[in-house]
Amino acid sequence: MKIKHSIVLMCVPLVLASCGAKKVLVKDTTAPVVAQTTAANTVAARKLAFVQKVSDQKVYAKNIVADMSFTATMGEKNVTVPGSLHMRRDEVIRLQLFIPILGSEIGRLEFTPDYVLVIDRMHKQYVKGDYNQLDFLKNNGLNFYSLQSLFWNQLLLPGATKVSESDLQKFDVKLDETGNNLPVSLKNGNMTYVWKADKSNGKIGEANVSYSSATQGKSDLVWKYADFKPLGSKLFPATQEFSFSTTATKKIQKTTVRLEMNDLSTSEDWETTTTVSSRYKQMDAKDIFGKLLNM
């Protein structure tokens, strides 16, 4: 009661001074708004800081080279073969598959900024097409640069060759998420991108790309990362598994590819361009993973 009485006494001079009273009243009524704005700015700053932490995990290397075990599953078909991975930033992503024990190349899957190339050496045939010809890429809004970001375990921005510092504010984060990961998300038309990143270090453990359309159904790409190993000053996921499923066809189709890498290096002693022999026959570009599993 004493505190209440003191407050009343303090207010009497202010009431008598009309102009001063009005100013105080205006200030008091805006105080909650200022507090809300400050709180919103604090949340936005925390979100941006976490996205920055996630972005800072990307490797700096120009080249990534590794031996690998390649496993592809499509329906009841399953194949596991040895292989190698060669990636040069902004130029090419190449997966080579070998005959077990013999070691000779049986097939090659190559992504460049302009096209996708699949070579079947056993049957002397190949598939080559741009990204709009390949449903599993087109339906997920994926081009070379977005695929590169997925292979390199980093954030992507549709239509952009890279994510700049000024782009980071375009991403959202659920800061109150329970568990060890925070979801970093981006919405772009019919596309939704979500990266699950470790709360403590910002390392991406999983990326989800979803496409939803009333006329063309739903497509999902889930990319999982594990077994992080040193590559330069950063860590790179030596095990990657990506699954693609779609309802765009009459029945649900799902394809899963698993890459288990070893002997990671940043070697630059290799060619980025593949020349297809004139003896090879060009095939339809639509069923690209079907070609891989039939090698």
Side-chain angles (χ1 to χ4, degrees), residues 15-29:
V15 172
L16 294 175
S18 177
C19 292
K22 289 180 181 178
K23 290 181 181 178
V24 170
L25 287 173
V26 170
K27 185 177 180 180
D28 287 345
T29 55

Side-chain angles (χ1 to χ4, degrees), residues 102-255:
L102 297 178
S104 54
E105 186 177 279
I106 188 175
R108 181 176 295 205
L109 175 60
E110 188 168 282
F111 300 96
T112 76
D114 301 317
Y115 60 83
V116 179
L117 173 67
V118 176
I119 301 178
D120 178 355
R121 301 218 181 269
M122 283 194 67
H123 302 98
K124 293 188 175 0
Q125 60 186 23
Y126 71 99
V127 173
K128 187 175 183 179
D130 64 37
Y131 292 83
N132 289 326
Q133 291 177 271
L134 305 171
D135 291 341
F136 80 101
L137 295 176
K138 181 178 66 176
N139 289 346
N140 281 277
L142 300 175
N143 59 17
F144 171 78
Y145 296 102
S146 49
L147 278 173
Q148 176 174 260
S149 296
L150 289 166
F151 271 104
W152 289 60
N153 186 232
Q154 59 192 51
L155 300 173
L156 69 90
L157 192 63
T161 58
K162 63 179 181 179
V163 178
S164 65
E165 288 292 321
S166 60
D167 290 326
L168 297 180
Q169 59 187 334
K170 298 176 182 178
F171 297 84
D172 192 20
V173 186
K174 287 186 177 180
L175 295 174
D176 57 352
E177 193 79 0
T178 58
N180 296 324
N181 298 314
L182 292 181
V184 178
S185 62
L186 180 72
K187 178 73 175 176
N188 183 55
N190 291 332
M191 307 297 303
T192 302
Y193 303 83
V194 179
W195 295 265
K196 297 179 181 179
D198 189 282
K199 283 183 179 179
S200 60
N201 56 34
K203 192 166 56 182
I204 297 173
E206 184 177 313
N208 295 269
V209 182
S210 299
Y211 171 87
S212 184
S213 167
T215 57
Q216 299 192 21
K218 192 173 187 297
S219 299
D220 292 288
L221 178 64
V222 179
W223 206 295
K224 297 181 180 181
Y225 307 93
D227 190 22
F228 284 79
K229 295 181 178 179
L231 188 68
S233 60
K234 300 291 184 177
L235 296 174
F236 183 78
T239 297
Q240 300 188 20
E241 181 178 291
F242 46 97
S243 299
F244 169 76
S245 61
T246 180
T247 61
T249 55
K250 292 182 180 180
K251 62 178 181 179
I252 298 176
Q253 292 185 341
K254 183 175 181 179
T255 300

